Amino acid sequence: MMRHLWLSLVLLVAAAVPAFADGTLASRMTDADKARLAAFDTVRAQAIGEARASDDKAAVAVLDQMLAGTPQPIRGATDLAGTWRCRVAKLGGLLPLTVYDWFRCRITDDSAGLRLDKVSGSQRTSGAFYDDADAGRLVFLGALYYGHEGKPVRYGADAERDQVGYLVRVGRDRLRLEYPSPRFESHFDIMELERPK
């Protein structure tokens, strides 16, 4: 009876804790990034307000397009691997809104789980996705690095490079990765990913 109770408790705890590969999300994430995610909704709303006040109406129109779409279930998706085109919008901070051109990103899915790599452009990112309590999104833990450095920086190796955010699916061939409170330049970043046409 005691063994059965203990086993039930272990299974309950395991089901309640989001896990990825060889560890839990909570044990991997820094306290600073936990705080960034805790303020996600507030920071997002303020940054979108700043961006929409921009005089660059063409950039605002692109932002509205990036924000379009209703989030769809993403946990357990098996079709995310492959090549994507991606672009980033930086909201608030140095400028109200800056939208960059399209670059190349790649999502891989192997025994370690889902990973994202931005593989072109001067500013790149590399990291992994983790299950979130909300089945409609995944948590991203990654790090900024620069193309001339030749190889990615590992999350947790340099707090100034660490990136955290949520990935949502907003269409069959569209994803949105949103980063609250990035360390440089802006108050909120949005990476839009689309399947190449």
Side-chain angles (χ1 to χ4, degrees):
M1 176 71 172
M2 190 65 167
R3 182 175 177 207
H4 179 70
L5 182 62
W6 179 83
L7 182 58
S8 296
L9 181 60
V10 168
L11 291 174
L12 181 64
V13 169
V17 177
F20 172 83
D22 58 352
T24 65
L25 174 61
S27 67
R28 292 172 179 267
M29 196 184 317
T30 65
D31 288 341
D33 286 343
K34 290 174 187 174
R36 287 202 272 185
L37 286 186
F40 181 89
D41 291 330
T42 300
V43 171
R44 184 182 195 271
Q46 290 173 347
I48 289 173
E50 277 186 73
R52 286 203 168 124
S54 171
D55 292 333
D56 186 342
K57 300 308 176 195
V60 173
V62 171
L63 174 64
D64 288 340
Q65 178 187 357
M66 292 173 83
L67 292 171
T70 302
Q72 304 170 5
I74 193 169
R75 184 186 295 165
T78 59
D79 61 343
L80 300 182
T83 301
W84 297 77
R85 66 183 199 147
C86 52
R87 63 180 171 182
V88 173
K90 292 182 172 288
L91 288 62
L94 295 178
L95 295 170
L97 176 61
T98 303
V99 178
Y100 292 91
D101 204 352
W102 293 100
F103 292 96
R104 267 187 319 118
C105 285
R106 181 175 55 240
I107 295 178
T108 54
D109 185 3
D110 57 26
S111 59
L114 284 174
R115 291 195 53 81
L116 169 71
D117 290 282
K118 181 175 179 283
V119 295
S120 66
S122 58
Q123 292 188 18
R124 302 186 183 188
T125 189
S126 181
F129 294 106
Y130 298 80
D131 286 342
D132 183 58
D134 180 341
R137 65 190 182 190
L138 299 176
V139 176
F140 176 75
L141 297 182
L144 167 72
Y145 72 104
Y146 298 96
H148 69 270
E149 293 175 321
K151 64 179 183 178
V153 174
R154 182 181 51 80
Y155 175 81
D158 180 349
E160 292 299 303
R161 301 280 191 101
D162 284 350
Q163 297 174 315
V164 64
Y166 289 123
L167 180 76
V168 294
R169 184 173 212 158
V170 289
R172 181 179 169 202
D173 296 319
R174 282 187 64 227
L175 306 171
R176 198 168 58 227
L177 178 55
E178 302 186 3
Y179 307 93
S181 305
R183 303 287 185 193
F184 306 106
E185 299 175 352
S186 54
H187 294 153
F188 196 88
D189 288 355
I190 300 173
M191 177 187 284
E192 179 182 33
L193 297 100
E194 284 188 349
R195 292 283 190 191
K197 295 173 182 171

